[in-house]
Amino acid sequence: MVSYSFFTIFASLGELILVVMSIYFGYGLEGAVFSLLIIRIITFAILYTNLYKIIGFGLPEFNVLKKYFKFGLPTFLSNISYWFVTSIDKYLVGFFLGT
């Protein structure tokens, strides 16, 4: 958490400093947008390398996928039915009461 908050502060201050400098030196809005892009790319690269060092990446294990699917199927069907009921409800209220 400490390193993440450090990088959040770094990104905010870096964006502020680079935007102010680009406007001060006369690059205008294009320079400000470019400086935002540059600082976000730098922050992403640093965070990505730190995350890769800590966690690493690998291929997922698909043998546990069946167990996760059995667990998530009822919640998926519940969400779909909720979406359907709320959509029909809005349609019927709009139909009978008008806009």
Side-chain angles (χ1 to χ4, degrees), residues 68-81:
Y68 293 149
F69 185 70
K70 282 182 180 179
F71 176 76
L73 187 62
T75 59
F76 175 74
L77 294 176
S78 169
N79 289 334
I80 294 295
S81 64

Side-chain angles (χ1 to χ4, degrees), residues 49-63:
T49 55
N50 285 345
L51 186 66
Y52 185 75
K53 287 178 188 176
I54 294 170
I55 297 175
F57 295 107
L59 293 174
E61 296 181 20
F62 292 109
N63 54 1

Side-chain angles (χ1 to χ4, degrees), residues 4 11 14 16 21-22 25 27-29 31 34 36 38-39 51 56 63-65 71-72 74 81 87 89 91-92 99:
Y4 179 71
L16 178 69
M21 286 177 52
S22 66
F25 288 122
Y27 292 110
L29 185 61
F34 185 70
L36 286 174
I38 292 296
I39 198 69
L51 186 66
N63 54 1
V64 295
L65 195 61
F71 176 76
S81 64
S87 297
D89 182 43
Y91 175 76
L92 288 176
T99 14

Side-chain angles (χ1 to χ4, degrees), residues 4-6 9 11 14 17 24 27 37 41-43 46 49 55 58 67-69 71 74 83-84 92-93 95:
Y4 179 71
S5 60
F6 169 75
I9 292 171
I17 291 170
Y24 179 74
Y27 292 110
L37 181 66
I41 288 173
I42 290 171
T43 306
I46 292 171
T49 55
I55 297 175
K67 183 170 58 172
Y68 293 149
F69 185 70
F71 176 76
W83 173 78
F84 181 74
L92 288 176
V93 166
F95 179 75

